[in-house]
Amino acid sequence: MLAFLIIIFGFLSRIVVHVPNFTPIYSLALFGGVYLKGRQAIWVPLAAMALSDIFLGLHDTMVYTWGGILLISLIGLYLRDHKNWANILSASILSSAAFFIITNFGAFLSLYPHTWAGLQQCYILAIPFYRSTLVSTLAYSMVLFSVWEFLIIPYQQRKARLESATVPLR
């Protein structure tokens, strides 16, 4: 169920009109890496990105955007065993920075002259988009992890205690 919700929320968040790069997709990849089971931690965020790219239009830098999402999911897998609020905050910053570096390198390779000046121009022109990526990743990560840790997990624990305390009638 969680995997399905991540795919739907990630897909919808990218196709609805929004400030460029202000989307929860990066936070969903990080969150999925932490809470999804097994291979779902990798393929679910990629599926959300791929489905939305199919809807929005395929592009030359897809391999870089999908690679960035894959890396963020791997950061989430690492975060599983090192989960605390400082690490979630750090992982959110690292995720948005890694995505910025990877995807803009892809943009440089396909859209800019392959010179030092072209590389500089690519990254300088991308700075305004990075601001949105960083702020959205921090904000959505804090919301997703807070809701999960403070609402969903306690609810699941209460429900499990009630179910184990209930004796079925025969």
Side-chain angles (χ1 to χ4, degrees):
M1 181 65 162
L2 179 59
F4 179 74
L5 290 173
I6 287 175
I7 291 172
I8 295 300
F9 185 47
F11 171 79
L12 291 175
S13 72
R14 290 195 70 222
I15 64 166
V16 171
V17 177
H18 59 278
V19 174
N21 288 24
F22 198 93
T23 173
I25 194 75
Y26 321 113
S27 299
L28 289 169
L30 188 63
F31 180 82
V34 174
Y35 293 109
L36 291 174
K37 294 180 173 109
R39 293 183 180 149
Q40 284 184 344
I42 301 297
W43 71 260
V44 165
L46 282 173
M49 193 67 144
L51 287 173
S52 57
D53 276 346
I54 290 168
F55 185 81
L56 294 171
L58 304 178
H59 50 89
D60 292 341
T61 59
M62 279 185 320
V63 69
Y64 299 96
T65 57
W66 296 2
I69 292 297
L70 174 65
L71 180 60
I72 294 169
S73 296
L74 293 173
I75 293 169
L77 285 173
Y78 172 81
L79 193 58
R80 269 185 196 185
D81 299 328
H82 305 88
K83 187 176 53 176
N84 62 49
W85 291 107
N87 287 347
I88 292 169
L89 181 66
S90 299
S92 298
I93 294 168
L94 176 62
S95 295
S96 60
F99 193 83
F100 174 82
I101 291 167
I102 292 167
T103 57
N104 285 296
F105 187 72
F108 160 71
L109 290 177
S110 61
L111 301 172
Y112 291 86
H114 295 174
T115 63
W116 180 250
L119 182 66
Q120 288 177 316
Q121 182 184 20
C122 174
Y123 280 101
I124 289 169
L125 291 174
I127 289 172
F129 297 102
Y130 177 63
R131 188 175 312 122
S132 293
T133 300
L134 176 62
V135 171
S136 68
T137 304
L138 287 168
Y140 282 114
S141 290
M142 293 301 114
V143 169
L144 287 168
F145 282 92
S146 294
V147 166
W148 194 260
E149 290 291 327
F150 296 123
L151 295 176
I152 304 300
I153 290 176
Y155 170 77
Q156 290 172 336
Q157 291 170 341
R158 279 192 309 274
K159 184 178 173 187
R161 278 194 308 272
L162 286 173
E163 288 173 354
S164 67
T166 307
V167 177
L169 298 174
R170 293 185 191 208

